[in-house]
Amino acid sequence: MLDQLLPLLPTLPNEARSAMLAVLAVAALVGLILWIMGSRFQRTVLTLLAVAAGGVLGLILPRSFNWQINPMTLSTAAAVVCGLSAFILPRLWVALGLAAIAALWAALACWVYYKAAANWSWPSWEGMEAWPQYLRNTWDSLNGDFRAVAPYVAGVAALAGLLIGALWRRAGSALFFSLVGETLLIVAALSAVIVLSRPEWLDRLAGPALVQAAVLIGLALLGMAIQLTLFCGPATAPPPQHRRGPADEPE
């Protein structure tokens, strides 16, 4: 199953193999930390992610849609706004993040089920004027069954993630960071396979797709359980201790 995700990853240069492996090792370590204890540093991590996301979007959007605005100005403003909103409203960002990561996992499940990786590769960037056109061409090159089903499955998963994050603060935060950490670990591991040119390593994981999917889901739930047990605070604050007054004094 995991071998079908390899075509989604970009081709990494072999000239800087050592540097790439070092970067992937750091990424895997970050993923492991997020998987085990990401919710412990929820506000800090969300703020950093929001600042990065706002800065990147501020640079990309004006160039992609030919907006008459300085990309650096928009990038700075978007980074500040996103960072402040994540710091003030972490629960909202957890809900939105959980919706996004749930939609991603659902789309990847459809990708594997419909074998969309067969005879597919990323379209060439040559002749593309902007990201929207490239994304449209990429979407049109995908398997027809995948395109027909994946948006609906991803939409349902996103709605479920949004509701979980909004209704259950502790569980939503733990599940979000568990999924993010596990996703980063998987991406780092598959990228290392590409850098080392060792796709046969994935053969050791060969087995029924349902078994592999069950293992991945189990790991996500395990990370969630660890964080709920060790790092998430109690669901409700303990009742205040009763202060003895004059009426409580023994006669």
Side-chain angles (χ1 to χ4, degrees):
M1 184 182 76
L2 292 177
D3 59 319
Q4 297 187 46
L5 303 180
L6 290 178
L8 293 173
L9 298 176
T11 302
L12 301 175
N14 291 327
E15 294 77 7
R17 175 178 297 184
S18 299
M20 289 301 304
L21 290 177
V23 171
L24 294 175
V26 173
L29 178 60
V30 172
L32 181 62
I33 293 174
L34 292 177
W35 179 69
I36 295 177
M37 54 188 302
S39 57
R40 173 66 176 81
F41 310 101
Q42 171 180 287
R43 193 182 298 270
T44 302
V45 174
L46 287 176
T47 301
L48 292 175
L49 291 177
V51 169
V56 171
L57 288 176
L59 288 175
I60 292 178
L61 292 180
R63 298 171 182 174
S64 299
F65 296 97
N66 296 321
W67 292 348
Q68 300 302 316
I69 185 173
N70 189 334
M72 290 302 301
T73 302
L74 182 59
S75 176
T76 303
V80 172
V81 171
C82 291
L84 284 176
S85 63
F87 185 81
I88 297 173
L89 302 171
R91 187 170 182 177
L92 172 63
W93 277 79
V94 165
L96 294 176
L98 187 55
I101 196 72
L104 174 62
W105 275 51
L108 291 178
C110 292
W111 175 273
V112 172
Y113 181 79
Y114 288 107
K115 297 179 173 58
N119 301 320
W120 181 87
S121 60
W122 288 98
S124 174
W125 178 259
E126 297 180 3
M128 304 294 175
E129 297 178 358
W131 279 101
Q133 179 184 354
Y134 182 77
L135 293 178
R136 283 195 299 269
N137 288 357
T138 302
W139 178 254
D140 292 338
S141 67
L142 294 173
N143 182 297
D145 293 333
F146 173 81
R147 286 186 295 160
V149 176
Y152 300 101
V153 175
V156 172
L159 180 59
L162 186 65
L163 290 177
I164 292 174
L167 297 178
W168 295 285
R169 177 181 61 84
R170 297 170 63 245
S173 176
L175 180 59
F176 168 69
F177 284 103
S178 177
L179 289 174
V180 171
E182 185 178 352
T183 302
L184 190 56
L185 279 170
I186 294 173
V187 171
L190 293 179
S191 298
V193 169
I194 294 177
V195 171
L196 296 173
S197 302
R198 294 295 181 86
E200 66 273 9
W201 287 357
L202 295 179
D203 294 339
R204 300 178 182 178
L205 302 176
L210 289 179
V211 174
Q212 296 185 44
V215 171
L216 295 178
I217 295 174
L219 289 174
L221 295 178
L222 176 60
M224 175 184 175
I226 293 174
Q227 295 188 56
L228 284 174
T229 303
L230 300 180
F231 303 109
C232 291
T236 57
Q241 295 183 354
H242 179 66
R243 300 181 62 181
R244 297 178 62 180
D248 299 320
E249 295 295 333
E251 296 182 0

